[in-house]
Amino acid sequence: MKKTLIAGALSIACFTGGFGLQANAQEHVRENLDVASIIHPKQEVAVVIPWQSLTYQDLYKQLLISELAIDHRGIVTTKNSITAKWTIDPTMTPQEQKEFKELYGNAMQVKFTPSGNSFKGEVLIKGKWIPLDKEELNEFIKEIFRDETIDLKPGGYFTDSIGHWAESYIQVLYQFDIINGTSATTFNPNGKVTRGQLASMIFRASGLDVKEEYEGPASYKDLEKFAGAKEVAVLEAYGLLDIFDGANFEPNKPATREEMAFVTARYIEGTDYDVSKVSKNNPFTDKGKMRQETVESIGLLKQLGIIDGVNGQFNPKGNLTRAEFSKIFTLTLALFDDAE
């Protein structure tokens, strides 16, 4: 009999809570930037993080794990800058929208660039980048990170992931201790994920403890020299690895996209997240290439908004990349936050 994965999956709330995104249009000029009314309309201003205490790399990491980045794709990074964008609030009056557009266009943009070990900031007003003085910069930082008091892990500034479509997801899982870089400064986002790595990362995300959960070896015959053998045994006991139904687990074999989907769906179903009313309809046109036991799992994740395909196809046999894992599991963790 399979064990039941108890609720208690990691919540993403501590990273993305409390960040208002929509801009409230008022007449803002260089001499009197009312940041609070733009980023957090009708909310009390609170001092959280003095900008002087942040390095440029810390700012980069903080922004990547913000709601603006995760939910609204409002952070744009390059090798030399970070730009935060706040779009027009659709609830604004026509006059407010007109005033906003006259100043900022369709989005208010603040660009941060390195300056020594710290950074400087500029705001785009009427098509021109206007430097922010220390007081204005501090005001922006206070508002961006209000209610977010996060102790960042050392490292995580992965130079090969700057500007990558998955960099925010990568940073979230790195801060959660679910994934690691391939070196102190690289992540290899397009690299393959092996079955053993998949099991280890899912285990870390589950919050399970080997010392408390391990009850004996897994059924697989090839784990004697695999460092994560006990983790595999625990996950197998919970039914998360049923897709790997051979005599051997083959921990060094690349995991496929459909295998990730199956394991993730089992992970969700094993918690107290209610999927009873979620459709498992699988709309992908390459459904015939999927293993039968993965069809509903892939359908479930699609209906939950966790996975996508390309041109209507899922590519189930394709190798899972580290970037794809990062996105899929960040969005999975976000489900538990949304359900609270």
Side-chain angles (χ1 to χ4, degrees):
M1 181 177 178
K2 298 294 183 183
K3 298 171 72 174
T4 301
L5 189 63
I6 302 173
L10 294 171
S11 171
I12 204 169
C14 61
F15 288 114
T16 60
F19 189 21
L21 307 178
Q22 302 296 341
N24 183 24
Q26 296 182 14
E27 187 69 22
H28 301 288
V29 295
R30 171 68 173 81
E31 290 78 13
N32 187 28
L33 283 171
D34 187 359
V35 179
S37 66
I38 301 173
I39 302 177
H40 297 283
K42 300 178 181 179
Q43 293 185 22
E44 183 180 352
V45 176
V47 177
V48 180
I49 304 174
W51 73 270
Q52 295 93 336
S53 68
L54 284 174
T55 66
Y56 178 78
Q57 293 188 10
D58 285 342
L59 175 70
Y60 168 86
K61 292 187 287 184
Q62 291 272 9
L63 285 172
L64 286 186
I65 59 180
S66 69
E67 184 180 341
L68 180 59
I70 301 297
D71 291 345
H72 300 270
R73 311 303 291 170
I75 300 296
V76 178
T77 65
T78 70
K79 298 294 183 182
N80 301 307
S81 68
I82 311 164
T83 303
K85 298 182 179 182
W86 291 269
T87 57
I88 296 175
D89 186 339
T91 65
M92 291 191 302
T93 68
Q95 180 60 30
E96 288 174 332
Q97 292 191 28
K98 179 177 180 293
E99 293 172 353
F100 183 98
K101 288 183 177 181
E102 287 176 353
L103 284 173
Y104 308 116
N106 292 324
M108 188 183 78
Q109 300 182 55
V110 179
K111 181 168 63 177
F112 303 96
T113 52
S115 179
N117 193 42
S118 188
F119 52 89
K120 57 185 178 181
E122 301 171 280
V123 60
L124 188 63
I125 298 178
K126 294 185 177 182
K128 296 182 179 180
W129 287 105
I130 308 299
L132 297 171
D133 62 28
K134 291 183 178 181
E135 183 178 346
E136 292 164 343
L137 185 58
N138 195 45
E139 195 71 13
F140 269 104
I141 297 302
K142 287 190 298 182
E143 284 305 307
I144 289 173
F145 299 130
R146 62 183 292 132
D147 303 327
E148 297 183 3
T149 53
I150 304 159
D151 292 327
L152 294 170
K153 286 177 55 180
Y157 188 72
F158 301 124
T159 56
D160 62 346
S161 300
I162 295 174
H164 193 282
W165 62 264
E167 66 179 332
S168 285
Y169 306 125
I170 291 166
Q171 192 62 223
V172 168
L173 296 194
Y174 175 79
Q175 295 298 333
F176 264 132
D177 277 327
I178 294 174
I179 58 174
N180 295 304
T182 52
S183 76
T185 58
T186 59
F187 182 77
N188 190 19
N190 299 320
K192 299 174 184 177
V193 176
T194 67
R195 291 179 172 187
Q197 290 168 341
L198 174 61
S200 294
M201 292 187 291
I202 294 293
F203 188 88
R204 289 196 290 269
S206 72
L208 297 170
D209 187 323
V210 167
K211 293 181 180 179
E212 296 179 0
E213 300 286 345
Y214 181 69
E215 296 178 350
S219 64
Y220 305 111
K221 307 301 181 184
D222 61 342
L223 297 179
E224 183 177 350
K225 296 182 179 180
F226 178 53
K230 290 185 178 181
E231 295 175 351
V232 171
V234 173
L235 294 181
E236 183 186 30
Y238 278 103
L240 270 65
L241 304 181
D242 288 354
I243 190 66
F244 306 114
D245 54 2
N248 294 323
F249 182 65
E250 300 178 273
N252 296 319
K253 183 177 180 178
T256 66
R257 288 166 54 82
E258 68 177 347
E259 290 167 348
M260 173 67 184
F262 180 92
V263 172
T264 303
R266 283 292 180 91
Y267 178 93
I268 295 170
E269 292 167 341
T271 69
D272 62 354
Y273 185 85
D274 185 9
V275 297
S276 62
K277 296 180 181 179
V278 181
S279 169
K280 294 183 179 180
N281 176 57
N282 186 324
F284 294 110
T285 58
D286 55 351
K287 186 163 49 179
K289 298 179 181 180
M290 300 173 187
R291 288 181 56 173
Q292 188 58 43
E293 57 266 57
T294 70
V295 172
E296 287 194 352
S297 295
I298 293 170
L300 174 65
L301 298 192
K302 173 61 176 175
Q303 300 303 325
L304 288 171
I306 292 174
I307 59 172
D308 292 305
V310 177
N311 297 323
Q313 297 192 337
F314 181 66
N315 186 23
K317 307 301 182 187
N319 291 328
L320 176 71
T321 69
R322 289 166 58 79
E324 289 169 342
F325 173 89
S326 299
K327 177 182 179 180
I328 291 169
F329 223 79
T330 296
L331 295 182
T332 296
L333 295 179
L335 285 178
F336 303 107
D337 178 37
D338 293 341
E340 292 179 357

